[in-house]
Amino acid sequence: MPSNLRLALTSATALAAAGACSQKETEPPKPLNVVYIMCDDHSYQTISAYDRRYIETPNIDRISEEGARFTNSFVANSLSGPSRACLLTGKHSHANGFTNNEHGIFDGSQQTLPKLLQAGGYQTAMVGKWHLVSDPTGFDYWDILTGQGDYYNPVFIREGERIVRHGYSTDITTDVALDWLDGRDTDKPFCLFLHYKAPHRSWMPDLQDLGMYDDVTYPLPETFYDDYATREAAAKQEMSILADMNVVYDLKMADREGEIHTPENPGLEQYGRDLYRRDLAPGELVPGRMDAEQQAAWDAYYDPIIERFKRDSLSGKALYEWKYQRYMRDYCSVIHSVDRNVGRVYDYLRDHGLLENTVVVYTSDQGFFMGEHGYFDKRFMYEESFRTPLLVRLPGQKRHRDIDAFVQNIDYAPTILEMAGLPVPEDIQGESFLPLLEGVKPSKVMTTEGKGWRKSLYYHYYEFPAEHSVRRHYGVRTERYSLMHFYNDIDEWELFDLQEDPMQLHNLYGEPGTEDITRELRKELERLQVLYDDPIISRN
Ligand code: SGN
Ligand code: CA
């Protein structure tokens, strides 16, 4: 028997998983499989297990109904590539080397979760958005979208071979994943990474979902009209729905009678239309985007909206709120397709008798702003983008549990290794939260720092100068406070009391009476920078 199987058989989880078949006592328990589903930019605000204001997501919710919902789940660096590198390595960005999308190339020769799983006898597959530039390593099978991926007729790289697949990205990604499950070696446990492109910008819904939320008027978030008083860094960004969301590229108001962008006519709207046409027009910049039939269905839905938009000539507050409603309708329609596809994955596992020994994880590469502070996008250490949804169905455990301990995406690798009954290498910076899933109280858990779960989180964002202009920053978050330092072309500290000011509108840094808490938090920040060995510490 391979050593990993021996270990898995003795772990509490593997035994719990076997509990379901205790009648058949002669059958040894099977090692756990893992289906790790990660969306791109899926906010917890648009998962009904977390928030019922905007959309119902019954299939995603089922994972937490039959398992656990993490109510304090965070990322280490709120951006796609960096988040994926944290997942693969269990390390913060400075330690895994992938700090930002713009210049990052993932060093695939380093130790990674899939490689450790493979060495432990697992079959591994990566399907969908990869976004780490270098070719995937450590996978028995990989079939990835190019770059950000396209919504329609997307280009995949299947183990080095380029393929254009016809249809809608979320459906196709699921098809590829289920095909792999069908053809896998059933004698081995598996770990499948299923990474959707959805609901990343520019939020293009599946044809069958166009218009499904047109009757809904979404409530404006409380901080929609934030004036950024007391927060210089919050004001200095280019991710405002009013100023930066493009009505053509983002909201699909392409005037098809207009002229194509030329270098002599580089208006923003024209620029937007060009990008948009890349997705929309067949055979244009990238071969294989929408075909004539898809485009006709798309136009039949959007053309009347475009006509109305042109006629109404909105401006100011009316335009701002109109943009928000269109954004929410498109985004939620894209989520509806994700939810349907999560249902397909669940049905597959159930129909193939896999639910009893397969862990199902649902998460996102980071959180996302749904108009809070007037924003879309992510990047900031503010709550909406620092947090990320995390729902886990671990077989053999109680249903409907909330886990409120602080977890972070550097914890996924050690957790999955422990689920597989494999040792966690010492240089991994995250902690396994498997004991928390098994019902152990956080105070009783043994972590690399000793007894008891972590009480604070470390964050570091690097991508500046870059699109959206969010300044570089690092910070610490405790149960009650969030302290961040924006640096590079700015030197601003922000301190929030999350109990008194959960929306983070009032920067307390430097206010009389906050000296003690500031000193304490800066000390904790420094402790974390030393603990994780972040070279930035020299600049504090
Ligand atoms: C693209 C988007 C940005 C987004 C980044 C990073 N612009 O560049 O809005 O912030 O991706 O997103 S777009 O014009 O190309 O749509 S991430 O999730 O991949 O990190
Ligand atoms: Ca993302």
Side-chain angles (χ1 to χ4, degrees):
M1 183 188 289
S3 64
N4 71 303
L5 296 192
R6 203 164 41 234
L7 272 166
L9 292 180
T10 55
S11 95
T13 297
L15 293 174
C21 36
S22 56
Q23 306 93 317
K24 312 177 204 163
E25 271 170 12
T26 45
E27 264 185 42
K30 296 176 191 160
L32 286 167
N33 307 305
V34 179
V35 174
Y36 175 93
I37 306 172
M38 183 161 75
C39 268
D40 189 5
D41 294 359
H42 192 177
S43 61
Y44 58 87
Q45 302 93 305
T46 51
I47 295 178
S48 44
Y50 282 102
D51 188 335
R52 301 209 94 89
R53 282 177 299 169
Y54 303 118
I55 186 176
E56 289 298 314
T57 50
N59 293 300
I60 297 170
D61 293 3
R62 183 164 47 186
I63 297 168
S64 68
E65 281 157 16
E66 297 180 3
R69 175 180 76 151
F70 285 82
T71 57
N72 279 309
S73 154
F74 296 82
V75 293
N77 180 356
S78 184
L79 201 62
S80 166
S83 170
R84 289 156 210 274
C86 290
L87 157 70
L88 291 177
T89 61
K91 295 177 185 172
H92 278 280
S93 303
H94 63 274
N96 66 46
F98 199 105
T99 57
N100 68 87
N101 286 341
E102 299 236 327
H103 308 290
I105 299 180
F106 185 69
D107 171 9
S109 69
Q110 66 186 299
Q111 166 185 285
T112 63
L113 169 63
K115 287 187 194 170
L116 292 164
L117 288 169
Q118 266 187 334
Y122 268 67
Q123 278 172 100
T124 57
M126 167 63 65
V127 177
K129 183 169 171 183
W130 168 249
H131 207 200
L132 289 169
V133 187
S134 56
D135 280 352
T137 55
F139 298 99
D140 294 306
Y141 180 75
W142 54 274
D143 202 332
I144 57 171
L145 289 159
T146 49
Q148 291 285 6
D150 284 295
Y151 277 108
Y152 280 90
N153 309 331
V155 183
F156 282 78
I157 308 287
R158 181 177 61 193
E159 300 186 327
E161 183 200 353
R162 186 186 155 89
I163 320 169
V164 178
R165 292 189 168 104
H166 186 264
Y168 188 67
S169 172
T170 309
D171 292 340
I172 297 170
T173 308
T174 310
D175 294 344
V176 173
L178 299 186
D179 281 352
W180 180 77
L181 282 175
D182 266 342
R184 77 189 195 280
D185 176 354
T186 50
D187 290 337
K188 284 182 171 179
F190 66 86
C191 181
L192 165 66
F193 296 85
L194 171 50
H195 293 189
Y196 294 114
K197 176 237 167 42
H200 191 275
R201 195 179 180 188
S202 58
W203 321 297
M204 294 176 78
D206 188 352
L207 297 177
Q208 61 178 307
D209 300 323
L210 286 172
M212 67 173 299
Y213 296 113
D214 280 1
D215 292 339
V216 179
T217 302
Y218 295 92
L220 296 178
E222 274 177 62
T223 56
F224 191 64
Y225 284 104
D226 189 356
D227 63 3
Y228 314 120
T230 72
R231 287 151 296 139
E232 187 191 347
K236 284 185 161 167
Q237 37 62 39
E238 291 168 8
M239 46 192 265
S240 138
I241 292 179
L242 180 61
D244 306 303
M245 184 179 279
N246 188 288
V247 294
V248 178
Y249 171 58
D250 290 312
L251 302 178
K252 296 92 180 169
M253 298 298 103
D255 179 359
R256 292 191 300 136
E257 285 151 27
E259 29 171 27
I260 305 291
H261 157 75
T262 64
E264 296 76 42
N265 182 14
L268 185 65
E269 307 282 277
Q270 294 292 337
Y271 162 78
R273 176 164 50 228
D274 262 8
L275 281 177
Y276 178 64
R277 289 175 66 94
R278 184 192 68 181
D279 264 334
L280 203 59
E284 264 205 355
L285 300 181
V286 183
R289 302 285 67 78
M290 275 192 184
D291 64 22
E293 208 180 311
Q294 291 165 333
Q295 184 150 2
W298 181 271
D299 290 343
Y301 171 70
Y302 280 105
D303 277 352
I305 302 174
I306 293 168
E307 283 315 307
R308 219 175 309 132
F309 177 71
K310 281 161 66 182
R311 201 183 55 224
D312 292 350
S313 301
L314 302 171
S315 62
K317 196 171 169 231
L319 175 63
Y320 186 18
E321 295 191 8
W322 177 89
K323 287 175 93 175
Y324 172 71
Q325 296 298 336
R326 286 273 9 128
Y327 163 47
M328 292 298 287
R329 285 179 188 142
D330 284 350
Y331 186 100
C332 288
S333 303
V334 172
I335 294 302
H336 187 69
S337 151
V338 170
D339 189 64
R340 181 166 55 237
N341 277 281
V342 169
R344 289 180 61 205
V345 174
Y346 182 95
D347 290 350
Y348 181 97
L349 297 174
R350 185 198 55 211
D351 296 347
H352 291 77
L354 286 165
L355 275 180
E356 73 184 34
N357 70 326
T358 301
V359 182
V360 183
V361 178
Y362 186 87
T363 186
S364 171
D365 62 344
Q366 9 71 201
F368 210 70
F369 291 99
M370 311 306 307
E372 298 88 355
H373 305 287
Y375 300 156
F376 65 106
D377 215 64
K378 52 267 175 171
R379 300 163 190 266
F380 276 111
M381 194 186 151
Y382 302 143
E383 293 289 294
E384 293 82 359
S385 50
F386 184 20
R387 288 175 176 273
T388 199
L390 180 63
L391 310 171
V392 184
R393 184 189 189 281
L394 176 68
Q397 299 298 318
K398 280 198 207 128
R399 298 160 60 97
H400 271 299
R401 279 170 320 119
D402 270 358
I403 298 175
D404 65 2
F406 278 160
V407 297
Q408 204 164 21
N409 55 351
I410 54 167
D411 300 330
Y412 299 173
T415 303
I416 293 173
L417 286 170
E418 235 197 319
M419 284 170 171
L422 296 170
V424 177
E426 281 198 357
D427 62 345
I428 283 191
Q429 295 179 325
E431 306 284 353
S432 165
F433 54 72
L434 179 60
L436 303 177
L437 281 165
E438 291 175 329
V440 179
K441 284 204 178 96
S443 58
K444 300 268 187 283
V445 170
M446 287 299 286
T447 67
T448 49
E449 284 191 72
K451 196 156 170 218
W453 194 252
R454 67 163 76 88
K455 300 271 191 305
S456 65
L457 290 163
Y458 183 59
Y459 182 84
H460 195 159
Y461 169 82
Y462 301 78
E463 195 175 272
F464 181 86
E467 195 177 4
H468 297 299
S469 279
V470 173
R471 268 46 185 191
R472 295 182 191 203
H473 58 294
Y474 52 79
V476 59
R477 190 199 191 281
T478 62
E479 193 186 340
R480 177 155 179 187
Y481 295 98
S482 198
L483 175 76
M484 29 197 119
H485 180 215
F486 294 86
Y487 68 95
N488 193 243
D489 70 335
I490 182 177
D491 181 9
E492 195 211 13
W493 289 82
E494 292 187 4
L495 167 65
F496 300 99
D497 179 342
L498 299 166
Q499 192 175 295
E500 299 299 318
D501 176 27
M503 305 288 165
Q504 298 172 290
L505 293 172
H506 189 149
N507 176 14
L508 293 170
Y509 194 84
E511 285 197 2
T514 60
E515 297 82 358
D516 289 353
I517 187 63
T518 303
R519 203 172 311 113
E520 224 175 272
L521 289 165
R522 283 188 71 154
K523 211 168 131 205
E524 180 61 4
L525 174 63
E526 194 174 315
R527 186 188 75 81
L528 293 175
Q529 290 182 325
V530 170
L531 175 72
Y532 296 127
D533 204 16
D534 186 341
I536 195 78
I537 191 171
S538 58
R539 303 178 51 169
N540 255 341

